[in-house]
Amino acid sequence: MARNDFGPPDYRELIPPVIQKNYGQWKYHTIPRPGVLKHVSDTGDVLYSVRIASPRLVSSEYIRSISDIADTYCDGYLRFTTRNNAEFLVSDESKLEPLIKDLVAKGYMIGGGGHSISNVVHTQGWIHCKSAVTDASGIVKDVMDELHPYFTGEIKVPARLRIAVACCVNMCGACHCSDISIVGIHRTPPRVNDELLVGRCEIPTTIAACPTGAIRPNPKTKSVEINHEKCMMCANCTVVCPAIKIMDPVNDGVSIWVGGKVSNARTAPKFSRLAIPYLPNNPPRWPEVTNAVKHLVEVWAASAREGERMGEWIDRIGWERFFEKTGLPFTDKHIDDFTHATTTFRSTTQFRF
Amino acid sequence: MGDILVKGVAIEVDEDGFIVDPAVWSTDLVEVFAKDEGIEALTEQHWKVINYLRDYFKQYGIAPMIRKLCKDTGFSLKEIYELFPSGPAKGACKLAGLPKPTGCV
């Protein structure tokens, strides 16, 4: 029998000697230039990390090519960050400049550190997922093409700004807690294939999957029926029952959410909130989405104080000012109407005209 | 999609080998599936699990939770894996002719 249950390799065997030696003894770090970090240890050792953008979805050729770079300059050591950037770990300072020169020559983009727009956390999209309402890789490429000066540090921003893409409301990844989130949404209720449903789907599971109780059994067809008045097109039923389909190339699209954060710095973590209820799917460049994201970034960057993240900025100026400054229309779609929605209503006379 | 041969009769299965029409389930089918699943011989214990899954599905319309399965059959999850190497969902449910497990599996 094959060897199993042996877990991932021990990370301590995979880190550079300088990190092994100085583990838990780092004194401070600086950012000498965008995308480059310098860590100094109590023992006096210095480690540079050079961060490059990665598309996350990469070929084995890509992995081999960055491994070759790591072999040349970093004794074979590199790491991936939690936003899927790659970092080259250089302990020999004389190799830093040649590494950066080589990376630039080969077309890798250095950046993503400190106050910047780092990589976009995203999902599978039309590459691999059956529930994808929109594409992930495509939108990410378009958005980052538009925003790359913010990644490289060419254009400064007041604080870090996190962008995430999820291709359906399952929100794999970080969309519920990012400064700007792009989430795929449906706008037409699902269709039930009664014939296919029998024997393929667990009816009680399908009914229980609905957050609004819109699904009930249909004894006549031994299937289920969906109350369209109650359905909000979350597509949860289509996840548990392959006989229910919801895809609609015309009405499917994306929504944009703002103001989430996970850190506890200054203010508590926040969920992101709806800013734009619907933008069309417009592959391959999604111009409506990229323009909207760029616009939100520009308005925030022009108005926020130093160190103030999107959500903190909105909290300070208020949502009515946010909609005014961004020029986005405020619609009935923005008003929460799910179970405990009352807590999101305004229960004060404090507001701005 | 494809077919498997059970005693000379072609039976339609999906890409994961689950039967498409629950009505075609038979004990002969289980014997054929067992070979694909790496089960050398179907024992009384295998049948206990299979019959339990079928009865539960017939009564409630869903596959039982793992805990329910273990508690009612008296097998631990480890023993279930020894009986069905690919596990209770991909192994046991497939042999029992239940619908393919769905969701984020």
Side-chain angles (χ1 to χ4, degrees), chain A residues 195-229:
Chain A
E195 209 177 299
L196 207 62
L197 192 136
V198 181
R200 285 279 193 107
C201 303
E202 299 180 340
I203 290 172
T205 313
T206 310
I207 292 166
C210 184
T212 57
I215 305 177
R216 61 178 184 196
N218 184 345
K220 260 187 235 157
T221 52
K222 290 189 175 162
S223 174
V224 295
E225 56 188 3
I226 296 171
N227 180 352
H228 287 190
E229 291 291 304

CSV table of all heavy atoms in Angstrom, one decimal, chain A residues 195-229:
chain,number,residue,atom,x,y,z
A,195,GLU,N,-37.2,15.5,-14.5
A,195,GLU,CA,-36.9,14.2,-14.9
A,195,GLU,C,-35.5,13.8,-14.4
A,195,GLU,O,-35.3,12.7,-13.9
A,195,GLU,CB,-36.9,14.1,-16.5
A,195,GLU,CG,-37.3,12.8,-17.1
A,195,GLU,CD,-37.3,12.9,-18.6
A,195,GLU,OE1,-38.1,13.7,-19.1
A,195,GLU,OE2,-36.5,12.3,-19.2
A,196,LEU,N,-34.6,14.7,-14.5
A,196,LEU,CA,-33.2,14.4,-14.1
A,196,LEU,C,-33.1,14.4,-12.6
A,196,LEU,O,-32.2,13.7,-12.1
A,196,LEU,CB,-32.3,15.5,-14.7
A,196,LEU,CG,-30.8,15.2,-15.0
A,196,LEU,CD1,-30.8,14.1,-16.0
A,196,LEU,CD2,-30.1,16.4,-15.5
A,197,LEU,N,-33.9,15.2,-12.0
A,197,LEU,CA,-33.8,15.4,-10.5
A,197,LEU,C,-34.0,14.0,-9.7
A,197,LEU,O,-33.3,13.7,-8.8
A,197,LEU,CB,-34.7,16.5,-10.0
A,197,LEU,CG,-34.5,16.9,-8.6
A,197,LEU,CD1,-34.6,18.4,-8.5
A,197,LEU,CD2,-35.5,16.3,-7.6
A,198,VAL,N,-35.0,13.3,-10.2
A,198,VAL,CA,-35.3,12.0,-9.5
A,198,VAL,C,-34.1,11.1,-9.6
A,198,VAL,O,-33.7,10.7,-10.7
A,198,VAL,CB,-36.6,11.4,-10.2
A,198,VAL,CG1,-36.9,10.1,-9.5
A,198,VAL,CG2,-37.7,12.3,-10.2
A,199,GLY,N,-33.6,10.7,-8.4
A,199,GLY,CA,-32.5,9.7,-8.4
A,199,GLY,C,-31.2,10.4,-8.4
A,199,GLY,O,-30.2,9.8,-8.0
A,200,ARG,N,-31.1,11.7,-8.9
A,200,ARG,CA,-29.8,12.3,-8.9
A,200,ARG,C,-29.6,13.2,-7.7
A,200,ARG,O,-28.4,13.5,-7.4
A,200,ARG,CB,-29.7,13.2,-10.2
A,200,ARG,CG,-29.5,12.5,-11.5
A,200,ARG,CD,-28.1,12.1,-11.7
A,200,ARG,NE,-27.9,11.7,-13.0
A,200,ARG,CZ,-27.2,12.4,-13.9
A,200,ARG,NH1,-26.7,13.6,-13.6
A,200,ARG,NH2,-27.1,12.0,-15.2
A,201,CYS,N,-30.7,13.7,-7.2
A,201,CYS,CA,-30.5,14.7,-6.1
A,201,CYS,C,-31.2,14.2,-4.8
A,201,CYS,O,-32.2,13.5,-4.9
A,201,CYS,CB,-31.2,16.0,-6.5
A,201,CYS,SG,-30.5,16.7,-8.1
A,202,GLU,N,-30.6,14.6,-3.7
A,202,GLU,CA,-31.3,14.4,-2.4
A,202,GLU,C,-32.2,15.5,-2.2
A,202,GLU,O,-31.8,16.7,-2.0
A,202,GLU,CB,-30.2,14.3,-1.3
A,202,GLU,CG,-29.2,13.2,-1.5
A,202,GLU,CD,-28.2,13.1,-0.4
A,202,GLU,OE1,-28.0,14.2,0.3
A,202,GLU,OE2,-27.6,12.1,-0.3
A,203,ILE,N,-33.5,15.3,-2.3
A,203,ILE,CA,-34.5,16.4,-2.2
A,203,ILE,C,-34.5,17.1,-0.9
A,203,ILE,O,-34.4,18.4,-0.9
A,203,ILE,CB,-35.9,15.8,-2.5
A,203,ILE,CG1,-36.0,15.5,-4.0
A,203,ILE,CG2,-37.0,16.9,-2.2
A,203,ILE,CD1,-37.2,14.8,-4.5
A,204,PRO,N,-34.4,16.4,0.3
A,204,PRO,CA,-34.3,17.2,1.6
A,204,PRO,C,-33.1,18.1,1.6
A,204,PRO,O,-33.2,19.2,2.1
A,204,PRO,CB,-34.2,16.1,2.6
A,204,PRO,CG,-34.8,14.9,2.0
A,204,PRO,CD,-34.4,15.0,0.5
A,205,THR,N,-32.0,17.6,1.1
A,205,THR,CA,-30.7,18.4,1.1
A,205,THR,C,-30.9,19.7,0.2
A,205,THR,O,-30.5,20.8,0.6
A,205,THR,CB,-29.6,17.6,0.5
A,205,THR,OG1,-29.6,16.3,1.1
A,205,THR,CG2,-28.2,18.3,0.7
A,206,THR,N,-31.6,19.5,-0.9
A,206,THR,CA,-31.8,20.6,-1.9
A,206,THR,C,-32.7,21.7,-1.2
A,206,THR,O,-32.4,22.9,-1.3
A,206,THR,CB,-32.5,20.1,-3.1
A,206,THR,OG1,-31.7,19.0,-3.6
A,206,THR,CG2,-32.6,21.2,-4.2
A,207,ILE,N,-33.8,21.2,-0.5
A,207,ILE,CA,-34.7,22.1,0.2
A,207,ILE,C,-33.9,22.9,1.3
A,207,ILE,O,-34.1,24.1,1.4
A,207,ILE,CB,-35.9,21.4,0.7
A,207,ILE,CG1,-36.7,20.8,-0.4
A,207,ILE,CG2,-36.7,22.3,1.7
A,207,ILE,CD1,-37.8,19.8,0.0
A,208,ALA,N,-33.1,22.1,2.0
A,208,ALA,CA,-32.4,22.8,3.2
A,208,ALA,C,-31.3,23.7,2.7
A,208,ALA,O,-30.8,24.5,3.5
A,208,ALA,CB,-31.8,21.7,4.1
A,209,ALA,N,-30.9,23.6,1.4
A,209,ALA,CA,-29.8,24.4,0.9
A,209,ALA,C,-30.3,25.9,0.7
A,209,ALA,O,-29.4,26.8,0.5
A,209,ALA,CB,-29.3,23.8,-0.4
A,210,CYS,N,-31.6,26.1,0.6
A,210,CYS,CA,-32.1,27.4,0.3
A,210,CYS,C,-32.1,28.4,1.5
A,210,CYS,O,-32.8,28.1,2.5
A,210,CYS,CB,-33.5,27.3,-0.3
A,210,CYS,SG,-34.1,28.9,-0.9
A,211,PRO,N,-31.4,29.5,1.4
A,211,PRO,CA,-31.4,30.4,2.6
A,211,PRO,C,-32.7,31.1,2.8
A,211,PRO,O,-33.0,31.7,3.9
A,211,PRO,CB,-30.3,31.4,2.2
A,211,PRO,CG,-30.2,31.3,0.8
A,211,PRO,CD,-30.6,30.0,0.3
A,212,THR,N,-33.6,31.2,1.8
A,212,THR,CA,-34.8,32.0,1.9
A,212,THR,C,-36.1,31.0,2.0
A,212,THR,O,-37.2,31.5,2.0
A,212,THR,CB,-35.0,33.0,0.8
A,212,THR,OG1,-35.0,32.2,-0.5
A,212,THR,CG2,-33.9,34.0,0.8
A,213,GLY,N,-35.9,29.7,2.0
A,213,GLY,CA,-37.0,28.8,2.0
A,213,GLY,C,-37.9,28.9,0.8
A,213,GLY,O,-39.1,28.7,0.8
A,214,ALA,N,-37.2,29.1,-0.4
A,214,ALA,CA,-38.0,29.2,-1.6
A,214,ALA,C,-38.3,27.9,-2.3
A,214,ALA,O,-39.0,27.8,-3.2
A,214,ALA,CB,-37.3,30.2,-2.6
A,215,ILE,N,-37.6,26.8,-1.8
A,215,ILE,CA,-37.8,25.5,-2.5
A,215,ILE,C,-38.7,24.7,-1.6
A,215,ILE,O,-38.6,24.6,-0.4
A,215,ILE,CB,-36.4,24.8,-2.6
A,215,ILE,CG1,-35.5,25.8,-3.4
A,215,ILE,CG2,-36.6,23.5,-3.4
A,215,ILE,CD1,-34.1,25.2,-3.5
A,216,ARG,N,-39.7,24.0,-2.3
A,216,ARG,CA,-40.5,23.0,-1.6
A,216,ARG,C,-40.7,21.8,-2.5
A,216,ARG,O,-40.6,21.9,-3.7
A,216,ARG,CB,-41.8,23.6,-1.1
A,216,ARG,CG,-42.7,24.1,-2.3
A,216,ARG,CD,-44.0,24.7,-1.8
A,216,ARG,NE,-44.8,25.0,-2.9
A,216,ARG,CZ,-45.9,25.8,-2.8
A,216,ARG,NH1,-46.2,26.3,-1.6
A,216,ARG,NH2,-46.6,26.1,-3.9
A,217,PRO,N,-41.0,20.7,-1.8
A,217,PRO,CA,-41.1,19.4,-2.6
A,217,PRO,C,-42.4,19.5,-3.5
A,217,PRO,O,-43.4,20.2,-3.2
A,217,PRO,CB,-41.3,18.3,-1.6
A,217,PRO,CG,-41.7,19.0,-0.3
A,217,PRO,CD,-41.1,20.4,-0.4
A,218,ASN,N,-42.3,18.9,-4.7
A,218,ASN,CA,-43.4,18.8,-5.6
A,218,ASN,C,-43.8,17.3,-5.7
A,218,ASN,O,-43.2,16.6,-6.4
A,218,ASN,CB,-43.0,19.4,-6.9
A,218,ASN,CG,-44.2,19.4,-7.9
A,218,ASN,OD1,-45.2,18.8,-7.7
A,218,ASN,ND2,-44.0,20.1,-9.0
A,219,PRO,N,-44.8,16.9,-4.9
A,219,PRO,CA,-45.1,15.4,-4.8
A,219,PRO,C,-45.6,14.9,-6.2
A,219,PRO,O,-45.3,13.7,-6.5
A,219,PRO,CB,-46.3,15.3,-3.8
A,219,PRO,CG,-46.3,16.7,-3.2
A,219,PRO,CD,-45.7,17.7,-4.1
A,220,LYS,N,-46.2,15.7,-7.0
A,220,LYS,CA,-46.7,15.2,-8.3
A,220,LYS,C,-45.6,14.7,-9.2
A,220,LYS,O,-45.6,13.6,-9.8
A,220,LYS,CB,-47.4,16.4,-9.0
A,220,LYS,CG,-48.9,16.3,-8.9
A,220,LYS,CD,-49.6,17.4,-9.8
A,220,LYS,CE,-50.5,18.2,-8.9
A,220,LYS,NZ,-50.7,19.5,-9.4
A,221,THR,N,-44.5,15.5,-9.3
A,221,THR,CA,-43.4,15.1,-10.1
A,221,THR,C,-42.3,14.4,-9.4
A,221,THR,O,-41.3,14.0,-9.9
A,221,THR,CB,-42.8,16.3,-10.8
A,221,THR,OG1,-42.5,17.3,-9.8
A,221,THR,CG2,-43.7,17.0,-11.8
A,222,LYS,N,-42.5,14.2,-8.0
A,222,LYS,CA,-41.4,13.7,-7.1
A,222,LYS,C,-40.1,14.5,-7.3
A,222,LYS,O,-39.0,14.0,-7.2
A,222,LYS,CB,-41.1,12.2,-7.5
A,222,LYS,CG,-42.3,11.3,-7.0
A,222,LYS,CD,-41.9,9.9,-7.2
A,222,LYS,CE,-43.0,9.0,-6.6
A,222,LYS,NZ,-43.0,7.7,-7.0
A,223,SER,N,-40.4,15.8,-7.5
A,223,SER,CA,-39.2,16.7,-7.7
A,223,SER,C,-39.4,17.9,-6.7
A,223,SER,O,-40.1,17.7,-5.7
A,223,SER,CB,-39.2,17.2,-9.1
A,223,SER,OG,-38.3,18.2,-9.4
A,224,VAL,N,-38.9,19.1,-7.0
A,224,VAL,CA,-39.0,20.2,-6.2
A,224,VAL,C,-39.6,21.4,-7.1
A,224,VAL,O,-39.4,21.4,-8.3
A,224,VAL,CB,-37.7,20.7,-5.5
A,224,VAL,CG1,-37.2,19.7,-4.5
A,224,VAL,CG2,-36.7,21.0,-6.5
A,225,GLU,N,-40.2,22.4,-6.4
A,225,GLU,CA,-40.5,23.6,-7.2
A,225,GLU,C,-40.0,24.8,-6.4
A,225,GLU,O,-39.8,24.8,-5.2
A,225,GLU,CB,-42.0,23.7,-7.4
A,225,GLU,CG,-42.9,23.7,-6.2
A,225,GLU,CD,-44.4,23.6,-6.5
A,225,GLU,OE1,-44.7,23.5,-7.7
A,225,GLU,OE2,-45.2,23.6,-5.5
A,226,ILE,N,-39.7,25.8,-7.2
A,226,ILE,CA,-39.0,27.0,-6.7
A,226,ILE,C,-39.9,28.2,-6.8
A,226,ILE,O,-40.5,28.5,-7.8
A,226,ILE,CB,-37.7,27.3,-7.4
A,226,ILE,CG1,-36.7,26.1,-7.2
A,226,ILE,CG2,-37.1,28.6,-6.9
A,226,ILE,CD1,-35.5,26.2,-8.0
A,227,ASN,N,-40.1,28.9,-5.6
A,227,ASN,CA,-40.9,30.1,-5.6
A,227,ASN,C,-40.1,31.3,-6.0
A,227,ASN,O,-39.2,31.7,-5.3
A,227,ASN,CB,-41.4,30.3,-4.2
A,227,ASN,CG,-42.3,31.5,-4.0
A,227,ASN,OD1,-42.4,32.3,-4.9
A,227,ASN,ND2,-42.9,31.7,-2.9
A,228,HIS,N,-40.3,31.7,-7.3
A,228,HIS,CA,-39.5,32.8,-7.8
A,228,HIS,C,-39.5,34.1,-7.0
A,228,HIS,O,-38.6,34.9,-7.0
A,228,HIS,CB,-39.8,33.0,-9.3
A,228,HIS,CG,-39.4,31.9,-10.2
A,228,HIS,ND1,-39.4,32.0,-11.5
A,228,HIS,CD2,-38.9,30.7,-9.9
A,228,HIS,CE1,-38.9,30.8,-12.0
A,228,HIS,NE2,-38.6,30.0,-11.0
A,229,GLU,N,-40.7,34.3,-6.4
A,229,GLU,CA,-40.8,35.5,-5.6
A,229,GLU,C,-39.8,35.6,-4.4
A,229,GLU,O,-39.4,36.6,-4.0
A,229,GLU,CB,-42.3,35.6,-5.0
A,229,GLU,CG,-43.3,35.9,-6.1
A,229,GLU,CD,-43.2,37.3,-6.6
A,229,GLU,OE1,-43.2,38.2,-5.9
A,229,GLU,OE2,-43.0,37.4,-7.9
